[in-house]
C-alpha cells in the first residue's frame, strides 16, 4: 500500500470498498529486527530504503492506513496483522495509538489484531497490553534448543532459544492467546516428531509450519545489492539465463514430505480436535470443498499483500521489490490498489501459468501449484514453473488422502472428524 499527497483526493478514493476481502501484512518497523537469523529473507530489505534509517511508521501514515483499511474491507470483521522485521521495535506507545485509531474509525465493524513476533522483547507490560486488547500473538520458534539455535541467532551470533521461551512463558502468565510459527529448514526437518512433541509440550495448540526455500541472488537482485533472489518469473523468461542456486539452509523437497507425513500420522492418531496444525486443517478444508485457506495453496494469489513502514503497498510479503510496488496509502486508496489491473494479473498468473504436469496432477486441488515464489523448477518434460517442493508436497497430500477422505465423510454426515482416532488406534 502507498502514501498520501492530496488529502481530499485520498478521502474520496478511500470511500471505495474492495470487491472481496483481503489481508495486509503490516510492517510498522519495516525490515528492522533485533535478531540476525541466518535464513531471514527480509532483513536485507533495509537496502531497498537507502534514504530511511529510522524505519518507523509515522503517525500520519498509521492513521491513513487504519482508516483506509477498515473502509476498504467489505465485511463486518476487519483483521489487522502486524509483523516485520520485528514489530515490537515500533514500541508499545505506537500500538496504543493503533488501538485508539481502530476504535475511532471502526464504524461498527469488529476489529481483530494479530501480532507476529520473535518473542524476545516481550515484557509484562507488553503482555498486559496484548491481553487487554485481545491481540492474537504468533511466536516464531523452530523447535527445542539445539534446533532453534541452529539458525535463529541474535546480533552477536548467539542462540535465542531461552529468550523466546521466556516470551512464551510471559504470554502464559498473562493469559495472552498465542500460536507458534515454525520455519521448516535443513536442520529441523530431520526431527519431525521431536519438533511436534516440543511444540505440544510448550503449550502450542495452534501450529503453523512454513517451509524455508530461498535462492542466491540473480542479476536483478544483485543490482539492488541483495543476497537473495527475486521470486521467479512464471513466464520462464528469467530462467533462460539464470539457474537458481538454493541456499544451504533451505529444506529439501523429499525431507519436507517425510516431515509432514510423520507429524500427520502422529496427529491423526492422537490429536485431531485437540491440536490444530494449519496445513492439516487447510487440507481437510480442501477435501470438504471449503473456500479460502492459506494463500500458498489457493487457486489464485492477490488477496494477501504487504505494507512497509513508509506506506508502500506490495503484492505479497515475498514480493517486496520495486517492480511489485502498487502505490502508497497516502495518495491512493487501498481498495483501488488491491483491485488494480496489476494485482489481478499478479493473482491470476498463479493459475494461468501452471505447467502441464500440475494441471494433470491428482492432488492439484490441494496445492494448486504451491506458492509462486517456489515455482522455479522444471517438470519431468523440462517445462518451467513447477514448485521446487513438488515431490514433498505431493507425497504428503497423497499420504494424508485416505484419512482426509474419512474425516471429510464424517463431517458431511454431521459427525466429528475426531472419530477417526478410534479407527487409527484399533
Amino acid at each position: 500500500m502507498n502514501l498520501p499527497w492530496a488529502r481530499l483526493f485520498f478521502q474520496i478514493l478511500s470511500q471505495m470498498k474492495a470487491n472481496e476481502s483481503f489481508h495486509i501484512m503490516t510492517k510498522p518497523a519495516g525490515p528492522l529486527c533485533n535478531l540476525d537469523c541466518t535464513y531471514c529473507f527480509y532483513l536485507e530489505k533495509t537496502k531497498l530504503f537507502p534514504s530511511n534509517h529510522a524505519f518507523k511508521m509515522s503517525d500520519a501514515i498509521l492513521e491513513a492506513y487504519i482508516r483506509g483499511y477498515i473502509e476498504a474491507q467489505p465485511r463486518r470483521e476487519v483483521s489487522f496483522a502486524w509483523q516485520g522485521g520485528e514489530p515490537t521495535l515500533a514500541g508499545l506507545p505506537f500500538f496504543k495509538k493503533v488501538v485508539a485509531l481502530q476504535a475511532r474509525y471502526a464504524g461498527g465493524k469488529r476489529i481483530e489484531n494479530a501480532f507476529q513476533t520473535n518473542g524476545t522483547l516481550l515484557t509484562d507490560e507488553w503482555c498486559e497490553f496484548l491481553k487487554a486488547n485481545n491481540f492474537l500473538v504468533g511466536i516464531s520458534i523452530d523447535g527445542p534448543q539445539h534446533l532453534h539455535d541452529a539458525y535463529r541467532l541474535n546480533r552477536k551470533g548467539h542462540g535465542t532459544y531461552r529468550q523466546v521461551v521466556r516470551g512464551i512463558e510471559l504470554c502464559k502468565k498473562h493469559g495472552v492467546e498465542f500460536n507458534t510459527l515454525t520455519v521448516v529448514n535443513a536442520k529441523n526437518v530431520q526431527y519431525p516428531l521431536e519438533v511436534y512433541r516440543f511444540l505440544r509440550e510448550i503449550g502450542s495448540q495452534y501450529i503453523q509450519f512454513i517451509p524455508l526455500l530461498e535462492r542466491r541472488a540473480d542479476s536483478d537482485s544483485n543490482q539492488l545489492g541483495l543476497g537473495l533472489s527475486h521470486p521467479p518469473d512464471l513466464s520462464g523468461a528469467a530462467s533462460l539465463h539464470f539457474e537458481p542456486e538454493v541456499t544451504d539452509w533451505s529444506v529439501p523437497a523429499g525431507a519436507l514430505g517425510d516431515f509432514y507425513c510423520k507429524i500427520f500420522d502422529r496427529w491423526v492418531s492422537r490429536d485431531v480436535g485437540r491440536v490444530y496444525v494449519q496445513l492439516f486443517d487447510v487440507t481437510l478444508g480442501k477435501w470438504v470443498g471449503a473456500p479460502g485457506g492459506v494463500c500458498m495453496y489457493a487457486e489464485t494469489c492477490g488477496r494477501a499483500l504487504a505494507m512497509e513502514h513508509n506506506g508502500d503497498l506490495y503484492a505479497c510479503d515475498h514480493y517486496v521489490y520495486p517492480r511489485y510496488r502498487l502505490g502508497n496509502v497516502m495518495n491512493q486508496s487501498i481498495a483501488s490498489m488491491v483491485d488494480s489491473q496489476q494485482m489481478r494479473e499478479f493473482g491470476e498468473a498463479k493459475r494461468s501459468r501452471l505447467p502441464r504436469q500440475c494441471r494433470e496432477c491428482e492432488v492439484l486441488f490441494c496445492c494448486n501449484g504451491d506458492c509462486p515464489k517456489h515455482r522455479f523448477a522444471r517438470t519431468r518434460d523440462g517445462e518451467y514453473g513447477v514448485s521446487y517442493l513438488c515431490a514433498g508436497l505431493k507425497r504428503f497430500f497423497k499420504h494424508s488422502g485416505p484419512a482426509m477422505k474419512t474425516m471429510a465423510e464424517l463431517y458431511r454426515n454431521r459427525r466429528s472428524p475426531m472419530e477417526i482416532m478410534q479407527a487409527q488406534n484399533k
Side-chain angles (χ1 to χ4, degrees):
M1 305 220 165
N2 278 15
L3 303 176
W5 297 0
R7 181 166 297 273
L8 177 61
F9 179 65
F10 173 81
Q11 289 176 339
I12 293 172
L13 288 181
S14 68
Q15 301 307 310
M16 297 170 58
K17 287 184 171 61
N19 294 327
E20 303 172 32
S21 294
F22 62 95
H23 176 78
I24 294 178
M25 190 175 292
T26 316
K27 300 174 182 293
L32 289 191
C33 188
N34 61 312
L35 304 188
D36 190 16
C37 300
T38 305
Y39 59 57
C40 183
F41 75 95
Y42 209 83
L43 190 59
E44 69 173 9
K45 297 294 178 68
T46 55
K47 298 176 182 177
L48 299 181
F49 307 94
S51 62
N52 188 331
H53 303 290
F55 291 102
K56 185 174 179 180
M57 188 176 293
S58 70
D59 290 350
I61 293 171
L62 177 64
E63 183 170 1
Y65 168 57
I66 288 177
R67 181 181 61 223
Y69 186 62
I70 292 173
E71 290 174 342
Q73 290 289 354
R75 297 181 181 174
R76 302 304 297 172
E77 296 79 27
V78 181
S79 297
F80 285 82
W82 308 94
Q83 205 195 40
E86 172 52 41
T88 54
L89 293 178
L92 189 52
F94 175 89
F95 281 97
K96 290 180 178 178
K97 292 177 189 174
V98 164
V99 171
L101 288 167
Q102 289 173 338
R104 182 188 304 175
Y105 292 110
K109 294 183 178 180
R110 184 164 63 89
I111 307 297
E112 299 174 341
N113 286 283
F115 189 84
Q116 184 66 40
T117 175
N118 59 45
T120 63
L121 298 179
L122 293 179
T123 62
D124 285 310
E125 187 179 11
W126 263 109
C127 290
E128 288 168 1
F129 167 82
L130 295 168
K131 173 63 176 177
N133 293 283
N134 298 313
F135 275 59
L136 171 62
V137 176
I139 296 186
S140 300
I141 187 164
D142 288 351
Q145 187 167 6
H146 74 104
L147 299 176
H148 178 89
D149 285 351
Y151 297 119
R152 296 193 66 84
L153 310 175
N154 63 22
R155 293 289 181 168
K156 295 182 178 180
H158 299 150
T160 59
Y161 172 82
R162 295 189 184 279
Q163 291 79 15
V164 177
V165 170
R166 176 182 169 277
I168 291 173
E169 292 304 317
L170 282 171
C171 286
K172 292 179 183 178
K173 173 184 173 182
H174 292 277
V176 176
E177 185 178 359
F178 76 95
N179 55 37
T180 54
L181 184 153
T182 297
V183 177
V184 187
N185 54 62
K187 182 75 172 179
N188 63 5
V189 75
Q190 303 171 53
Y191 303 89
L193 295 182
E194 184 177 353
V195 169
Y196 181 62
R197 183 166 53 248
F198 167 81
L199 294 174
R200 292 178 70 244
E201 288 172 352
I202 63 172
S204 180
Q205 290 184 289
Y206 298 88
I207 297 170
Q208 182 179 6
F209 294 118
I210 300 292
L212 176 62
L213 182 58
E214 297 292 344
R215 301 174 299 152
R216 302 290 182 186
D218 58 12
S219 57
D220 288 341
S221 301
N222 280 329
Q223 290 176 9
L224 297 171
L226 304 179
L228 298 175
S229 181
H230 272 77
D233 177 358
L234 292 182
S235 70
S239 68
L240 298 178
H241 62 273
F242 176 68
E243 288 298 325
E245 178 189 355
V246 174
T247 61
D248 295 339
W249 51 84
S250 292
V251 63
L256 180 67
D258 291 342
F259 181 91
Y260 286 156
C261 289
K262 288 179 180 178
I263 293 177
F264 178 78
D265 289 345
R266 178 64 58 90
W267 175 83
V268 81
S269 65
R270 302 183 184 184
D271 294 329
V272 178
R274 299 169 186 157
V275 177
Y276 299 89
V277 180
Q278 184 190 61
L279 173 63
F280 304 161
D281 290 345
V282 168
T283 304
L284 180 57
K286 300 288 187 181
W287 277 90
V288 300
V294 295
C295 60
M296 72 166 54
Y297 301 129
E299 191 173 6
T300 60
C301 292
R303 311 308 292 184
L305 303 90
M307 192 184 82
E308 259 294 344
H309 66 290
N310 64 350
D312 282 347
L313 187 67
Y314 294 85
C316 171
D317 184 43
H318 290 287
Y319 286 75
V320 178
Y321 295 94
R323 70 173 75 167
Y324 300 105
R325 179 182 176 276
L326 300 170
N328 190 286
V329 297
M330 296 299 286
N331 52 42
Q332 292 171 261
S333 78
I334 292 174
S336 67
M337 290 186 280
V338 169
D339 288 331
S340 66
Q341 181 67 23
Q342 180 181 352
M343 275 303 292
R344 286 196 294 272
E345 292 176 356
F346 174 84
E348 180 58 31
K350 180 180 182 181
R351 174 171 54 192
S352 64
R353 294 178 180 173
L354 281 171
R356 179 178 177 181
Q357 180 176 306
C358 291
R359 298 195 305 271
E360 297 177 351
C361 180
E362 62 194 289
V363 295
L364 175 62
F365 76 100
C366 288
C367 78
N368 284 300
D370 192 20
C371 178
K373 172 181 174 287
H374 299 158
R375 286 168 52 182
F376 55 83
R378 294 187 181 275
T379 68
R380 293 183 296 269
D381 300 326
E383 189 178 358
Y384 180 79
V386 72
S387 171
Y388 181 89
L389 300 175
C390 174
L393 294 176
K394 186 172 184 178
R395 175 161 185 244
F396 165 71
F397 289 126
K398 290 184 68 175
H399 176 82
S400 63
M404 291 293 178
K405 182 179 180 181
T406 298
M407 287 189 287
E409 290 173 350
L410 288 167
Y411 174 81
R412 293 190 187 98
N413 290 319
R414 300 181 182 276
R415 295 166 59 186
S416 171
M418 293 178 68
E419 292 182 34
I420 194 173
M421 291 188 288
Q422 300 171 8
Q424 294 286 320
N425 292 314
K426 284 182 179 179

